[in-house]
């Protein structure tokens, strides 16, 4: 299963929050300027168990880390 979003899928969501169903499915069910907007949009469509993710600006890099 492909668990990566393509640039084409994400370009309209740059610097926004998205709601997805599962990490292994590339289905965006809500979006917004903040996480609560994305969650509300997904819930309006009937989706309850969602994962929220920030789409960072494409002109900058992001390196996740933990301490």
């Amino acid at each position: 299963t492909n668990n990566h979003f393509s640039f084409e899928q994400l370009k309209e969501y740059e610097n926004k929050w998205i709601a997805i169903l599962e990490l292994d499915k590339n289905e965006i069910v809500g979006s917004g300027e903040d996480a609560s907007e994305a969650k509300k949009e997904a819930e309006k469509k009937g989706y309850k168990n969602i994962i929220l993710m920030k789409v960072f600006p494409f002109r900058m890099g992001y390196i996740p880390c933990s301490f």
Side-chain angles (χ1 to χ4, degrees):
T1 304
N2 178 8
N3 61 353
H4 302 299
F5 288 97
S6 70
F7 172 76
E8 290 300 315
Q9 288 175 290
L10 294 177
K11 69 181 178 182
E12 70 180 277
Y13 305 106
E14 181 178 12
N15 206 31
K16 294 186 179 183
W17 284 83
I18 59 172
I20 59 177
L21 290 180
E22 297 176 25
L23 287 176
D24 62 344
K25 294 189 177 164
N26 296 350
E27 188 173 354
I28 298 169
V29 296
S31 66
E33 295 298 320
D34 58 39
S36 64
E37 281 184 20
K39 182 180 179 203
K40 284 179 192 174
E41 186 176 309
E43 288 176 342
K44 266 203 281 191
K45 295 177 182 177
Y47 299 105
K48 301 288 183 205
N49 297 319
I50 57 166
I51 298 167
L52 296 167
M53 182 177 95
K54 173 74 173 184
V55 179
F56 290 97
F58 300 125
R59 67 185 181 286
M60 60 188 278
Y62 174 73
I63 302 171
C65 64
S66 64
F67 297 94

